[in-house]
Each structure stands twice: as structure tokens, then as C-alpha cells.
């Protein structure tokens, strides 16, 4: 772990109690001079570090930057797999591309790639995902689950539940899920999830779970074609949020959920997803390519597929598509 990360981790752990220099030296195994130089560097980056004669050092403010050392410090040992390795890049075509490139170089499961700018950010069904530098959260998580290809829709479900939980831990907002992957508040989109994978025969080689969250955009900062269709944490709460904090909560939730699913407890996650899903219990129309199916959205199955009861009473399983509620 970098010096900066070790020191920040101690600050986050100490919270408002602060930490005295001697304890900081012991815990980080860094000498006084290195600590002083690193603290100067951290202050230059925008971290508010106060030093009191008795209380020692206390972190009063963290800048809204995405920096691997800060994220590593915040995560500490709170996650087992997700966030084991972190990569923050300024610009990329898509964090999913970046994660995939590293997956092919045998990057470890749990790698998280974050970017400020995506030049070809993508959504489901070939759509563009619009992020805004300094304001959105654009990240991808590399996972290597020992699952069958048919079980992959589970990942989208995991991602959507993790986003909802993280948002709820931050603010008094209860997001809903629109099948399969839209995280919505009051009918407008707050976050989206794009799962991409490589499989050999029917076994998964790796999966990239891409998540985009609108954090600090103002309403006028969304593209005009999306006017009235998006929300950000800022538009919902009237304040700005530290994206590193949002990322930390999201990765913690995702890690917990992934662990649970790997313990064979997907049913619990699916139940939570069902609870939050506004698509179920409604007459809907699902468009996929040139085909359209209409029916009553009954439930999701073990593998994350949507079970649609048609007007003729048949049960259809849908794995992808765009849902419209028929009023
Ligand atoms: C959707 O709602 O259609 C899915 C949107 C997914 C967007 C995220 S942003 C990070 C990652 N990189 C991408 O290019 N897409 C996903």
C-alpha cells in the first residue's frame, strides 16, 4: 500500500478523535519525516488535515477526487474481493473496455476501474452512456464467478441491489429498479448497469460489471435528449456528494452481495431485488430488437430472467429487452 494510502487509512479509522504522531508512526511503520512529507503532499491535493498539540492529526475534509490511494484507504479491509485492486484513469473509451483489456492480462478478480471521462461510454442495447467529468461515477468491476453462462443475469441484479443500498446509506432516497438494470427515482434514471462477459463453451471466463451513477450533475448538465428522464444524487438532495464516498459504499455493498451469492444465497438477493422492482406486478411490453412481447410481469427466476404471463396464459422467459409499462 502506498504511503498516502496508509496514512489516510489511519485518519479515516481515527475519525474525529484524531491520531497522535507516535501512533501514526507505529501503525503505518513510516518514520516522522516521511509522514510529514506525505501530509504536505496530501494537503496539496486538497485534504484538510488539522494538527492539534494533544489530539494529533485529524482529517477534516476530503476533496472530491477519484484517487486510488484514497479509495484504498477508505475501503481498508472492508471488502474481501471487490476493490482488491483499483485503477483510476483520467480518460478511456469505456471503463468496461479497460477492465476487459486487463482481464485478458490475467488481472485479479475484484479489480475496479474508474474513469473521469469515457469517450465511448455505452449502455445496454447499443445506447450511449453520458457521463460528466468530475460529476459522475463511471466504474467497472472485473469478476470471475464460477457460474454457468445462464446464471449471468444475476450480476445485473446484484449490481442494481448494491447501487440501491449504497444510495440508501447515503441519503433519504429509496430507489426502485426497472427490469433489468435501471436504478430509478420517481420514474427517472439515477444509475445504469451494463454486464459484459467472455465465456468458453458454457463456463464464464470473466465478467465485467459496468456501473454508471449520476452523482453531482445539475439537471441542465444532462444531454437535452435526456431532459426530464434523469436524476443525480445532487438533483435529488440539493447538495453535492463526495464521489469517493459513494464509490466506497457501492463497492462494500457489492462485495457483500457477491459473497452472499457465492455462498449459494442468491435467493435472498433476488428477493430484495423483487421487493424493489417496479416492473413486477404490471402489464408490460418488452421490446427486443424487432420483436415485442406483451404480458403480465410475474416474477424473476433463479437465473434472473423475467417471467412474463401472456394474455393466452403462457409463461415466457425474457432475458433482455426494453420494458414499457402498459397503463
Ligand atoms: C444502461 O443503463 O444502459 C447501462 C449503463 C452502464 C454505464 C456504465 S458507466 C461505466 C461502464 N462503462 C461503460 O461504458 N458503461 C458502463
Amino acid at each position: 500500500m502506498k504511503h498516502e494510502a496508509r496514512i489516510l487509512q489511519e485518519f479515516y479509522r481515527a475519525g474525529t478523535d484524531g491520531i497522535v504522531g507516535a501512533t501514526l508512526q507505529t501503525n503505518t511503520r513510516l518514520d516522522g519525516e516521511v509522514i510529514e512529507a506525505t501530509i504536505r503532499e496530501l494537503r496539496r491535493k486538497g485534504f484538510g488535515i488539522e494538527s492539534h498539540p494533544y489530539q494529533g492529526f485529524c482529517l477534516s475534509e476530503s476533496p472530491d477526487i477519484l484517487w486510488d490511494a484514497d479509495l484504498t484507504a477508505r475501503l481498508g479491509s472492508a471488502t474481501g474481493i471487490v476493490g482488491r485492486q483499483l485503477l483510476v484513469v483520467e480518460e478511456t473509451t469505456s471503463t468496461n473496455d479497460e477492465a476487459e483489456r486487463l482481464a485478458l492480462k490475467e488481472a485479479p478478480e475484484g479489480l475496479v476501474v474508474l474513469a473521469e471521462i469515457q469517450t465511448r461510454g455505452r449502455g445496454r442495447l447499443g445506447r450511449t452512456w453520458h457521463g460528466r467529468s468530475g460529476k459522475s461515477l463511471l466504474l467497472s468491476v472485473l469478476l470471475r464467478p464460477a457460474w454457468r453462462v445462464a446464471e449471468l443475469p444475476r450480476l445485473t441484479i446484484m449490481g442494481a441491489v448494491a447501487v440501491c443500498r449504497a444510495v440508501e446509506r447515503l441519503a433519504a432516497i429509496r430507489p426502485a429498479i426497472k427490469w433489468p438494470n435501471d436504478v430509478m427515482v420517481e420514474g427517472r434514471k439515477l444509475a445504469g448497469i451494463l454486464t459484459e462477459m467472455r465465456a468458453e463453451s458454457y463456463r464464464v471466463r470473466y465478467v465485467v460489471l459496468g456501473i454508471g451513477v449520476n452523482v453531482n450533475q445539475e439537471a441542465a448538465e444532462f444531454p437535452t435528449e435526456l431532459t426530464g428522464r434523469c436524476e443525480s444524487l445532487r438533483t435529488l438532495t440539493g447538495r453535492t456528494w463526495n464521489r469517493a464516498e459513494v464509490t466506497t459504499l457501492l463497492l462494500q455493498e457489492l462485495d457483500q452481495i457477491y459473497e452472499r451469492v457465492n455462498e449459494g444465497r442468491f435467493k435472498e438477493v433476488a428477493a430484495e431485488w423483487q421487493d424493489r422492482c417496479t416492473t413486477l406486478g404490471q402489464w408490460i411490453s418488452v421490446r427486443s430488437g424487432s420483436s415485442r412481447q406483451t404480458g403480465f410481469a410475474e416474477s424473476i427466476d433463479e437465473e434472473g430472467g423475467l417471467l412474463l404471463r401472456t394474455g393466452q396464459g403462457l409463461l415466457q422467459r425474457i432475458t433482455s429487452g426494453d420494458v414499457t409499462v402498459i397503463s
Side-chain angles (χ1 to χ4, degrees), residues 67-298:
W67 181 33
D68 57 352
D70 182 40
L71 292 167
T72 306
R74 287 173 180 267
L75 280 174
S77 50
T79 63
I81 293 177
V82 177
R84 253 188 214 164
Q85 194 174 310
L86 290 153
L87 173 70
V88 182
V89 295
E90 180 57 28
E91 183 176 316
T92 174
T93 49
S94 151
T95 52
N96 274 28
D97 293 342
E98 203 70 37
E100 174 152 14
R101 195 176 55 75
L102 294 165
L104 294 171
K105 291 189 179 162
E106 305 309 322
E109 172 169 72
L111 164 81
V112 177
V113 180
L114 296 110
E116 282 293 357
I117 302 167
Q118 295 189 130
T119 52
R120 285 205 296 276
R122 54 184 180 268
R124 268 185 343 119
L125 310 171
R127 296 193 182 116
T128 301
W129 182 261
H130 301 273
R132 203 170 180 97
S133 177
K135 305 218 165 172
S136 333
L137 204 56
L138 308 166
L139 66 85
S140 298
V141 184
L142 170 68
L143 295 172
R144 299 182 184 279
W147 302 349
R148 287 174 294 117
V149 172
E151 290 169 323
L152 282 180
R154 288 173 167 192
L155 278 164
T156 307
I157 287 175
M158 285 171 35
V161 172
V163 172
C164 290
R165 283 195 190 174
V167 167
E168 279 174 11
R169 275 174 68 185
L170 282 166
I173 300 171
R174 184 165 164 89
I177 297 168
K178 180 179 163 202
W179 186 87
N181 69 342
D182 291 348
V183 177
M184 315 285 290
V185 179
E186 288 158 22
R188 289 187 284 268
K189 190 152 166 171
L190 178 66
I193 293 147
L194 177 69
T195 312
E196 295 175 322
M197 59 120 188
R198 176 172 290 223
E200 269 143 23
S201 145
Y202 59 90
R203 298 281 340 157
V204 177
R205 186 161 167 211
Y206 65 79
V207 187
V208 173
L209 182 62
I211 304 181
V213 186
N214 301 326
V215 181
N216 287 325
Q217 292 103 313
E218 308 264 13
E221 289 174 329
F222 289 108
T224 38
E225 68 267 28
L226 296 179
T227 303
R229 290 166 55 198
C230 297
E231 291 284 3
S232 70
L233 290 178
R234 176 171 188 154
T235 57
L236 290 166
T237 60
R239 53 156 284 197
T240 54
W241 294 86
N242 183 304
R243 288 171 307 148
E245 187 186 351
V246 183
T247 307
T248 309
L249 292 180
L250 176 56
L251 298 184
Q252 281 174 0
E253 291 298 339
L254 196 59
D255 187 70
Q256 262 183 33
I257 293 172
Y258 189 48
E259 191 184 322
R260 235 205 273 175
V261 174
N262 280 332
E263 284 167 1
R265 295 161 62 197
F266 174 68
K267 267 197 178 142
E268 292 169 25
V269 182
E272 184 173 338
W273 183 93
Q274 297 225 10
D275 217 39
R276 296 173 181 275
C277 181
T278 48
T279 310
L280 300 182
Q282 307 224 56
W283 280 92
I284 60 167
S285 159
V286 189
R287 193 164 46 87
S288 179
S290 55
S291 81
R292 182 184 286 276
Q293 276 173 309
T294 303
F296 185 74
E298 263 191 17

